[in-house]
Structure formats: structure tokens, C-alpha cells
Amino acid sequence: MVAQTRAGNSAPKRLAFSEKIVGKGLATDALLKKLKALHTELAELDQELVDVNSLSTVRTQLVNTSILLHKDRGVKAYAACCLADILRLYAPDAPYTHTELRDIFQFFFRQLATGLRGADASYYNEYFHLLESLSTVKSVVLVCDLPHAEELMVDIFRDFFGLVRRDLAKKIEIFIADILVALIDECQALPSEVLETIMAQFMANDVQPAYRLAVQVCNATADKLQRHVCQYFTDIIVAHSHESDSESNFEEIRKAHELVKQLSRSCPSLLHSVIPQLEEELRVEEVQVRLIATQALGEMFSEKGGAELVKKYPTTWNVWLMRKNDKATAVRLKLVESAKGLLVNLHDHRETVDELMRLKLLDPDEKVRAAVCKVYSQLDYETVLHYVSEDQLRSIAGRGMDKKNSVRVEALNSLGKIYSTAYPEIENNDPAAIRHFSWIPNEILHISNSTQEARLAAEQVIADFVFPLPSGSSAPTSKNVDVNEVAWTDRLLNTMSYLDDRGVNAVLLLSGIKGSRPSPYELYLQSCVQHNGGVIDEDEDVVKQRLNNVIRHISRQFGDPQKAAEDLHAFARANENRSYKLLKTCLDTQTDLKGLVKSSNEFLRRIELSSESILGTMTVFLRRATLRIVNQSSVSTLIKRVQRADSKHAQTLLTYISKHCPSLYRPHTSELTKAIADEKNARLVEAGMQALAAVSQSDEALAVNDKRTLERVMRYVLGSNARVAKFAARILVASKEHDDLCAEAVESIARKLSTAEPDLLVAHTAVLAQFARLAPDAFERKSDVLMAFLVKKLLMVPSPADPDEMDSDADWVEDGDVQPRLRARILALKVCRNRCLAHASTDTALEVATPVLKMLSTLLDHAGSYSADATDDPKVKSRMRLQAAISLLHLSIVDKFATAINTNFISLAITVQDPCYNVRMEFLMKLFPLLTARKLPPRYNLIPFLTVHDPEADIKSRAISYITHASRNISAAAKVDLFEIIFIRLLHLLAHHPDFSTAHENLQEMAKYIDFYLDLIASSDNVSLLYHLAMKAKTVRDGQSHTYSENLYAMSELTQELIKARAQARSWSLQSYPGKVKLPSDILRSLPNPEAATKILKTVYLPEETSAWLLESSKTQKPAGTSKEKRREPREPKDSKSPPKRKASRHRANGTTKRVKTARWNSDQSESEEEPSSDDSEQDDREETPTNPSSEREVGSSGQESDEKESNDKKITPNRKLSRKAGTRAKRKISKQVKKSNHARKP
């Protein structure tokens, strides 16, 4: 006890008070008056100068029961003050017995508990004096020496913690804390109930006075309480860990750990012995205990004081980190969930935390991987910028391709949220923000183009965080929705400035600009209106079927097609006119940004209120159906931005709109007319001309007819800028006076063509290509002069290689480096093609087209030249044969041209195996849109299957992507026509392939084509049909020669064995096909007699070595149940990808006059990276198809061949054959070369 000492030499002062305070008949008022006087005098006495003997009378009277048990509060309040003063004056020796002291202290704390309230309460000053005396004199420590002191201490602590909750003055809290600290310091053994009382305060709100009091007491007595707290915690764990199956026991353990976390925040010094105990819990076998301890320590390390905790308990920190490999998923999950605080507060341990998170991104459990991704979405911008590395963010991006949807969603959401918070800094050109975050949209966009599953999550993130719609007004009925169209468009352009070509293409695809109009979503809305909630007046079956078909088509694009279809049907059944009207407004391409925001918000709000279950589906529907990335509100800003030096992406967007949705320009024709008048800004003029041409062609009412503008357009038509001239020509064609204007332009060009400079020649040829297609009457006025010049003076003129050129072996030239003369030749081929298309519906179509088809076929035969011995520049030849192949594709759209081209189909098809990578890639990129639109005959779907041997993985993967997407998104009947019936044509094509021979090694290569086809198309449903077609190949003969018939029979046998092996491995039932199949008569003929058929069926055309190989291969086939999707994934060899693109060598086959295509894919020489082809498709993509492709003419396996058909074929097609023997010899030489080169590449 802290005691004050008396001064020995001072004269003691005696108490003057001598009245009695105990006795019968003493009135309360009189007693109160006496006690006040006594208190006043006692309070003024100094402990060192008082004569304690003079206090003996009042000392005795004050403990009389008549005083201690008096009914009056005032009497008891003053009595308590007097007793406190007596104890102060007698200190350090108390003048009372233990019993009396017990009564006194109980009296003290009873008075305080019942009387001490606010400052305005009665006798507040007396209670304050009492509390102050106990605090300063420390007389309260006498309690510790009393019998049964533990009970009294428990009462004191409970009373005081109850008292402090009354929100008293701060000084009172300090007095109470001093009293409790003194009790703890002086007590011999701390009662467990006292500790429980203290600990209970930590489980309350940390802003409560009782909590603050507990913190003060614990921090002041930490040294003494450490052992008690540890024991307290141990007792709880031991008491509740025996019955491990009881959830209530774990709940108590959980509460104890919550207490430890609270203590860690406010009184960490109490936990000196507790933290090691938590460390031991991390090692126990019981999962729940490990889980609770992991969570508790994780949260403690994550607090602001976590760094100090790690420093003080490094062993515990390391053991906690080892829980990353815990066998229990829940434990690993709790570890990861703590990482946010670690990243924010443990800056000195950043590398350790990064490594932990990077490792857990690859955790086998999806919940852990998702939790890691979610952690980063919860971080603020500054933390991510300074304490999360770019590599770590890219690792999260990698999880955007995770197999599990939950992980994909969390990963992409994290990236999206991070980018959204960083965008303002990126917009302000902050170098650190640009370096750290600008790549994120590009990564998300790449993911959106990968798989159907990843696309859904990526689209949502792009819509929410990368290109969000302005929020607009919160009130759905507000007429003034405030949106910033310029900022919205600038955000798109700014984001695109950091995208690569793939990313830009993904943005364009997601924009919804490209696509047929009306779109499937508009057709759905129309069907809903016609369906009328099921109340249909007429054509009920037709209306229902139309609705079902469009819902089936749309729902295929959702993650859960069945749920999407149900929701779309539910929306149709609801039949809400207001929702229909809002949706129509959203889908309208003429709706501006403000209208889109307002209508979208109201539409989704109505859906949420009426049918919340379909909200998710309709949100995705609305996002895909509307122009929320670019719409007509963007055009004005894009026109302004295209004038800047960094206007690349503004021009890209305008070009894309011009190609695919020119209706967006309708409100902006005056702006476009002004744009083309600014002749000093070539970029603006080009974009404006293209846009004006597009809108003029799409809507006659918007065509340019202003005389002054047309004069300017005419100058552009006759100018030397090829692209501007081309677009200007389209504007002239769309004008009212187009006949005269186009004729005038043609006349002028015809006069100047022969003397035109190279750039002007290119421009004039580009204009002629437009007139040949769109203004054939004007073109034909001078067609004899024009065609004679183009063919004789341009196309037929040799183009030898430049002897001074350094890279003489290069076989490709990039678009920007194409010489004007070559550009003019390419455009001349387009003139020929377009002229044929313009005459497609006339009686002279074949007369006009026959020489063109012959010329194009010759270019393919001679690798881009018109003769086998030509010495043209390889770069010119690659460009010419590419354009020839693309022209033949476009001509194949017309039925009569397709029939004529059919005899050259194999030469055209194996363009996809060209030695030049760029030719192969560009050919495929032109083929896919035509196939997707079903403009080409079904046999053209064979071409992508020929990419199986391509040395570049991207070409094969694009082919796989097309085939997979196309075959999944069509009806079963369409799949039969487009992908299954053509199987017989694939066998025929391979039989005619220049590489074909019956040598075993060659047949192994042929088998890869068949396996590739079967991987992508075969299933248990169609395997019988495919096997039937393979067998039928031995019941007919080839239409060209007996040699090719034998090749076909060998392919038939090879294919049958491959199908049987596949069916056996996958447990498919290979039954006889029940239907009747007619084989194509254009390539196959009936056998002359039954004897020939019998002989062929009995003859085996496969070598014995091949048969044995097939038998052995069938034993090692993948077992049933192997995922088809996995088989479909292209696998690229580890050493097959080098920076330059590879090509096949081009050997001549013993001097043959034909280009041997066996060499197209068998070498690995270098080729430049993929680049878009020169301007050749902007108009083609939108040109009207003159006729639809006709169905293939077919003949039954026992039918008769048409002599008329054969004679017609001979008239149209030059007498030419692919030399199989020459091709085989070349193949052997090339194979040896490839083996040598492959051997040289091996480490």
C-alpha cells in the first residue's frame, strides 16, 4: 500500500468537532448538518499534522449501524466521505477491525453503485470526493488483506464496470481505473471471476466506457495479468475441446479467440504467453481448432499492429504461413482471407505475402483460388499501385481462364475494379498508373475471345468497369438524364490506345456494331409482340415456332442455355407493353446515349419488380443487344478526335461503323459533309468520305445530291488518293445523277489511264473496281478500252524481283510497303471480279466470267504468275495468288460461277496450305465470314479441315474455332448438310491431293486429316452416317480418272478403319445407317457394271503395313469417356513456335509446269507476322449477293451420270490435271528436307 508518512516534528492538530452523531431522537436534518460539518473539517485536516487520538470518538460513531444503514441518502453520502477521510488520516494503519473494514468498503461501493450518476444528481460532489479519496489515498488496497477478500473484489469490479457505463466524467473513469489497478497490484491471487469480468468487457463495443476502462486496467497491470490471461484462455480450450463433435463447444473456443483478437488490438502485452499457445493450436489434428486459430492469427497479423506482432513472434508467423499447405481447404481459405490486411499493413513482408498469394492462385480447390482473386478486389488504389506487383496482377488475370466459373468471375471482377479505380489517373497520364494498370482491359478482352464460358464473365466486367454506361439519373421517370457523351467516348478511345490488335478487334466485336439487321434480339422482340402472351389471332403455329427458334438461337450464347430459354419464354409470356416499348428504344440504333441510359435503367427496374428471377438473363440480353460501347452519340466526338495526330482508334471506329452500321450516321450527315471539305486534313477527309459513302448507300434519302458537294466528290474520284477515290465513287453511284456523273468519271479515267503516274493509276483502278460492280452501265461504255489496258498493260506485264533488294527470298510484303504497281494489279483483279458479279444475273454472265475464271485459276496453278517459267518477284506472286483465291471465293457466291469453279475447287481449297503464312491466314479470314453467312456452297466447309498440318498453331486454332462454333450453333439438319454429308467430298479431295500416294508414310499423313475431321464433327449420333459415306466411296468411281478412283478406295478403307477404332474406343454403337444418301454427281460417277463393283469391294487397296499400323493404333485409342473438348484443343509442339511465321518450301516436281502444292506446309522457313490484307473487303462484305448458292447436284450410288454435265464442265474448265506422281515425288524430297531441318532444331 502506498502510504503517506507523518512529519515527526510538527505540532499535531486536533479535531474540533465534538458533537454526537449517534443517539436516540436525533433528527435526520440535524444529523445531516452535523455530518456536513464533520466532513468539512476532516477534509481540511492534513494527514501529517493531525492528532489521530482526537478522531477516536467520530471514528467509532461513523461505523455505527444507525449511520451505515440510515435511510437518508445524504446521511450515507456524507458518512462515506467522513469514513474515507478517517482512513486517509490514519494511513497507513486502519483504525478498524477486519469486519468493520469489510462493512465500510461494502458501504462505500454500495453508495457509489446506487448514487453516482450524472453531474446534476444529488450529492454528486460527495460521491466524487469519495471516489477521489479511494483513488489517491489507495486505501482500497486494504480490501486485499480482509478475509474473503476475493468475494469483495468481485463485487467491486462488477460494480465499477457497471458504474462506468453511465457515461460519467472522464476524471471519474480515471479514478475508477486507479482503484482497480491498485486492487490487482496488491492482491495475492486474482479471483477468476474478476478476470472474467474484465475479459467480458472486451467482447463489447470498443467505444463503450467499460471497454476503455478494461483497456486502461489491463495495460497498467499487464505484467501481473499475463499469466492469468494465459490460464484463462487455456482453461477455455481444455474445457471445450474434449467433446469435439459439439458445435457449441467450438463456439466457446471461437469466442475465446475473438477475445484474443480484441486483446491484440488494445492490450497486446497481455498475450505474451497466449500467442505461443495459438501457435501450438496450428499444429493440432482437430481441423476446427486449426481453422479457428488460423483465422484469429490471420486477423491479428492483418491489423495495424501486425508488423510488430510478426517481429515479436517470428516463429508463430512462420508456422501460420505453413498453413498454406494445410490439408483442409477451410484452413487454407481462412489463411487467404487474411491477406488483405497483410498487403495493407505488412509492407516489410511484401515478398512473402506475394509468394503466398501467387502459390494459392494455383491451389487445387476453386474456393481458395477465388478467395485469392477476391482479396485484390478489396484493396484501394494506392495499396495496389505501391504494394502489388504487375506480375501479381497478371497472375490474377491468368485465373480469368480458370476452369471454374467462380474463379473466373472473381479474377475478372478484381481486375475490373482495380482498373476502374485507376482509370482517372490513367486519364491524367500518370506514368505509374499507365505502366501498372493500362494493360488490364487488353487482358480481359483477350479472355472474352477465348471460350464461351470465359466470355460471359469478361463481358460483364467490361460492361461494369471498363466501358460502363454513365449512371444517369437515379429516377426512372426523370426527363433530364445528365450524361457526358464526350467523356464517355473519350474513355473508349483512351482505353483503346493501350490495346493490341486482338484487343481492338474484341472491342469492335463486343460493340454490337457488326451483325445483321434486324438482329436476333430485334427478331425476338418482334416475336414477343406477335406472340401477345399466348393470345394469337392467326398463324398460331408459325408465330410460336418463330419465337421458339429465335429463343433457341439466342440462348445458345448463354452459360446456361436452358435457364436462358426459360427466362426468355417467361418474358414473352409476361407480355408487358411498357417493357416492350422500353426494349425497342434500347435496341433502336438511332437511340442516343441519354435515351439508352434512361430506357435501360427503367427496363431493368421493371423486370426486377415484376420478375426478379429473370433479371440476370435479361441483363445479359440487354447488354448484348444494345449499342452500349459505341452508338450515334459517339459520332460527333469521333469526328472531332480523328483530326488529332493520335486519332488511329477514332478512325478505326468510324471505319467499322461505316462498314457495318452506317445508319448511326443519319443524324450526322451535315457534319460529314463539312468533314470532307477540309482538304488539308487527309485523315478526316478519308474517314468522312467512307462514312458518307456508307450512309449514302444504306439510305437513298441521305444520298449526296448537293451540286457543290458533288463537284468536290468528283475531284476526289479523279484524284490520286486511292481510298478517298474509292469512297467518292460510291457516293457518286448513290446520287440521283449517278448515270451521268459515273459515265463522266469513266470517260475521264479511260483517257488518262495509260499515262497515269503510279499513285494515280492505283486510284483510278480502285474507282473502276467500284464502277464495275455498282455502275456497270457506265463501266461498260468503255469496258473494251479499260479491260484491254488492265489485262494487257497491267496484269500480264512481268514483275521481276529487284536485283538490288537485300531480302530476295522474302515472299510477302506488308500492306504499307506494297508498291503502287502491285496495288494496281491487285485492284485490277478486283475489277475483273466485280465485273463478273455485276453481270451475274444476266444471260452473258458465263461469257463475261469464263476468261476471268481461267485467269484466276492460272494464277493459282502457277503460284501467282501466268506461266510456269515466269520470273516474277515472290512477293508479287504471293499477293497475286492470294487475291486470285479470294476473288474465286467471292465469285463462288453465284450459283453458276460456283459450278464453273467446282472443277478447280481442289486448287482453290489447298490455298489454305500455301507456302506463305500470310496467304494462308488471309485466305482463311476471308473464307470464314462467307461461310458463316452461308453464301458459299457446303463443300467450302471442307477447307478449314485442311489446316491440320499447318506449322503455325494460330491458323489451326482459328480453323478449329470456326468449325466448333459453326457446328454448335446450327440446327441438326443444317449440320448434316454443312458438315456431315460433305465427308465424302473430303475423301475425294484427299484422293486428289498433290501429296497423296499409297505409300505407308503418306497414308499416315492422310489419316491425320480424317482424325482431325472426326475429332471436331464425329459423335455417337452421326458416326453411322459417316461410316456409311466412307463405305459408299467404294461403290462409285472418280469422275476424272481410274488412278484417282484407286486413291479414293484407299481413302475409303483407311477411313472405315479409323471410324471403327474410334467407335470402339468411345463405346459408340456403329449400326447400319437407316437412311438413303445420294452422292455428289459433280465429282463421282456410277460404276459401269455389277462385276466391277464386286471386284472393287473384294480388292484391298491399303498396303499391309498400313493395315497393321491401323490395327496397332486401334489398341492404343483413348478409352471411352475422354472429353471431346479436350481432344479438340490444338496442341502446339514446344519448339514449333518461333518469332517469324513458318512456310513450306516450294520445290518444282521434275520440271512440271504447275506449282506443286505439296510443299505448302512441310517446311519451317521464316515468314513475317500476320498483317491484315490490303483494302479488299470493305465493300465486299456488304455487297448484295446476286443469287443464292444452289444445292449440290447429286446422284445415287447406282444412278446414271449426266453426259450434259460432263460436257459443260469441259467447256468451262481448261484441260488440266494435278499430277499425282509428280506431287508424290516432290513430297518425298520435301519430307527428307523437313526431317533434316527438324533434326537440326532438336537440342
Side-chain angles (χ1 to χ4, degrees), residues 933-951:
R934 300 194 194 180
K935 292 183 177 181
L936 294 172
R939 59 180 172 272
Y940 284 76
N941 278 306
L942 292 175
I943 296 176
F945 293 103
L946 300 181
T947 61
V948 63
H949 290 295
D950 199 289

Side-chain angles (χ1 to χ4, degrees), residues 469-746:
L469 279 178
S471 58
S473 173
S474 58
T477 58
S478 174
K479 294 182 179 178
N480 298 317
V481 178
D482 184 22
V483 297
N484 190 332
E485 297 174 347
V486 175
W488 176 66
T489 306
D490 281 341
R491 174 163 182 154
L492 171 63
L493 293 174
N494 193 31
T495 302
M496 289 181 69
S497 66
Y498 302 105
L499 303 181
D500 59 16
D501 290 340
R502 279 184 63 195
V504 170
N505 290 334
V507 170
L508 298 178
L509 183 65
L510 289 173
S511 69
I513 296 295
K514 185 176 182 180
S516 58
R517 296 284 189 273
S519 67
Y521 307 101
E522 292 171 300
L523 294 175
Y524 169 71
L525 179 57
Q526 294 173 11
S527 300
C528 287
V529 174
Q530 295 170 359
H531 186 260
N532 195 29
V535 182
I536 306 169
D537 295 332
E538 56 184 19
D539 297 330
E540 182 175 352
D541 293 340
V542 175
V543 171
K544 288 184 176 179
Q545 185 61 43
R546 187 182 297 123
L547 178 63
N548 291 336
N549 288 343
V550 71
I551 287 177
R552 189 183 307 112
H553 174 79
I554 293 173
S555 62
R556 287 195 188 107
Q557 310 302 321
F558 284 74
D560 185 349
Q562 182 177 352
K563 172 69 164 56
E566 292 172 356
D567 291 347
L568 292 172
H569 277 295
F571 177 78
R573 288 193 299 271
N575 196 34
E576 294 183 358
N577 290 329
R578 178 60 181 167
S579 295
Y580 289 164
K581 184 177 179 180
L582 290 169
L583 187 55
K584 183 177 181 180
T585 302
C586 294
L587 299 182
D588 189 356
T589 57
Q590 297 307 302
T591 300
D592 62 6
L593 179 61
K594 186 182 297 185
L596 177 61
V597 171
K598 183 174 181 293
S599 299
S600 296
N601 289 343
E602 184 179 350
F603 175 78
L604 294 176
R605 191 172 288 109
R606 291 181 67 88
I607 294 295
E608 184 176 12
L609 294 175
S610 60
S611 307
E612 188 175 2
S613 62
I614 70 171
L615 179 62
T617 297
M618 297 313 296
T619 301
V620 175
F621 178 96
L622 191 66
R623 185 177 68 235
R624 292 179 173 177
T626 56
L627 302 182
R628 55 178 297 123
I629 295 179
V630 181
N631 62 28
Q632 65 112 326
S633 294
S634 312
V635 174
S636 294
T637 305
L638 292 176
I639 292 174
K640 293 175 183 176
R641 298 295 180 263
V642 84
Q643 302 177 46
R644 295 179 178 176
D646 57 345
S647 63
K648 172 184 175 183
H649 295 294
Q651 188 168 9
T652 298
L653 290 169
L654 288 173
T655 299
Y656 199 70
I657 294 172
S658 300
K659 286 184 178 182
H660 303 295
C661 193
S663 61
L664 295 184
Y665 292 131
R666 286 177 186 170
H668 305 282
T669 51
S670 60
E671 295 176 66
L672 295 174
T673 303
K674 292 179 183 177
I676 67 172
D678 187 3
E679 299 185 18
K680 295 181 180 179
N681 193 326
R683 188 183 293 107
L684 178 62
V685 169
E686 180 182 321
M689 290 294 291
Q690 185 175 10
L692 207 55
V695 74
S696 298
Q697 289 183 300
S698 67
D699 189 344
E700 292 181 3
L702 299 175
V704 175
N705 294 305
D706 176 65
K707 183 178 180 181
R708 188 174 178 180
T709 304
L710 285 175
E711 289 175 355
R712 180 176 291 110
V713 170
M714 178 63 81
R715 289 200 301 273
Y716 287 135
V717 167
L718 301 178
S720 58
N721 187 317
R723 282 183 61 80
V724 173
K726 176 178 68 174
F727 300 136
R730 294 178 186 174
I731 294 175
L732 283 189
V733 171
S735 66
K736 290 182 179 178
E737 302 177 4
H738 64 89
D739 289 337
D740 295 338
L741 293 173
C742 293
E744 180 185 342
V746 169

Side-chain angles (χ1 to χ4, degrees), residues 948-949 1003-1013 1058:
V948 63
H949 290 295
L1003 289 173
Q1004 286 181 309
E1005 296 299 309
M1006 292 294 112
K1008 293 180 181 178
Y1009 289 102
I1010 304 302
D1011 279 331
F1012 186 49
Y1013 174 92
L1058 291 172

